Amino acid sequence: MAHLMPRAAADPAGSTPARAAADPGTRPTDAPHASASEQALASADGPSGAHASEASGLSRRAAEFAVSGLLFGLAMLVIWDNQRIGAGWTDTGPASGYFPMRLGIVLAVCAIATFAQALREQSQELFATWLQLKRVAQVLVPLTVYVALIAPLGIYAASTLFIAAFMVFAGRYPAWKGGAVALATNLLLFFVFEIQFKVPLPKGPIEAMFGY
């Protein structure tokens, strides 16, 4: 006779969908699993943590502003310096600063045009991430210091410091190995250029101590 009884009587509490419909505050048993999957999907859609930091960086618009400013400053320096030495037309022809000053004017016009174009641009397209800029700076900053040290120390001493520092700090080599490679390399270069080829390169006080 049990098969003739109504389903509700067989299950007094009602089935799971019936209980969910009767009590809106409850959820089906698989709701927590759906919620967890939805949270995982949401976390996958949006960048977070390290991925968010890598996704941020310098916008192309900001880079154009910076480049136009640098070009304009360089153009003003070229114009001022050539105007100082003479940029007019003399009896014998153009002065020494005639053509360079006009090149400076062209450069200034290009810088202004780049700045105006960046003002009209509203896109926030990424030019480079902060991680990429950091990697560029790891090479550019030591290279700038190296070029600045050539005049007071000479190219051989500056090159020795540059190679040794780059091997130690960037390549993670031991200090003794970086120093040995840097010194041997520049001794070889000194022998080739100064002694064999007789090509004088910028030298400093260390070379002067040995009569070069």
Side-chain angles (χ1 to χ4, degrees):
M1 298 295 291
H3 67 279
L4 299 176
M5 295 175 63
R7 186 177 299 272
D11 186 7
S15 61
T16 300
R19 288 199 304 270
D23 187 2
T26 62
R27 294 182 180 180
T29 55
D30 59 344
H33 300 284
S35 177
S37 62
E38 290 174 359
Q39 291 176 1
L41 183 60
S43 62
D45 290 339
S48 60
H51 296 287
S53 62
E54 291 180 1
S56 62
L58 183 68
S59 66
R60 184 175 298 275
R61 188 167 184 253
E64 289 179 352
F65 280 136
V67 171
S68 61
L70 290 175
L71 288 179
F72 188 79
L74 179 62
M76 291 297 102
L77 179 62
V78 170
I79 293 172
W80 171 81
D81 187 60
N82 287 280
Q83 181 65 32
R84 179 181 58 84
I85 63 177
W89 196 273
T90 64
D91 296 336
T92 59
S96 57
Y98 182 86
F99 291 106
M101 192 189 78
R102 280 145 183 83
L103 290 177
I105 294 174
V106 173
L107 185 62
V109 172
C110 293
I112 295 173
T114 303
F115 186 83
Q117 181 180 358
L119 281 177
R120 294 193 303 268
E121 181 67 36
Q122 298 300 324
S123 174
Q124 293 300 320
E125 180 185 357
L126 199 63
F127 175 73
T129 63
W130 297 125
L131 181 61
Q132 291 172 337
L133 293 175
K134 180 182 177 181
R135 290 172 178 172
V136 172
Q138 287 176 345
V139 177
L140 183 60
V141 173
L143 187 60
T144 304
V145 175
Y146 163 67
V147 173
L149 290 177
I150 290 178
L153 298 182
I155 192 169
Y156 299 107
S159 299
T160 302
L161 293 175
F162 176 73
I163 295 174
F166 213 86
M167 289 184 64
V168 171
F169 294 105
R172 306 299 181 185
Y173 286 95
W176 68 268
K177 186 176 293 186
V181 171
L183 184 60
T185 300
N186 283 278
L187 286 176
L188 178 62
L189 292 176
F190 183 86
F191 174 77
V192 171
F193 286 99
E194 301 289 338
I195 298 177
Q196 294 296 320
F197 292 161
K198 305 296 182 182
V199 177
L201 296 178
K203 291 180 284 294
I206 297 178
E207 291 86 355
M209 292 172 56
F210 295 95
Y212 289 96

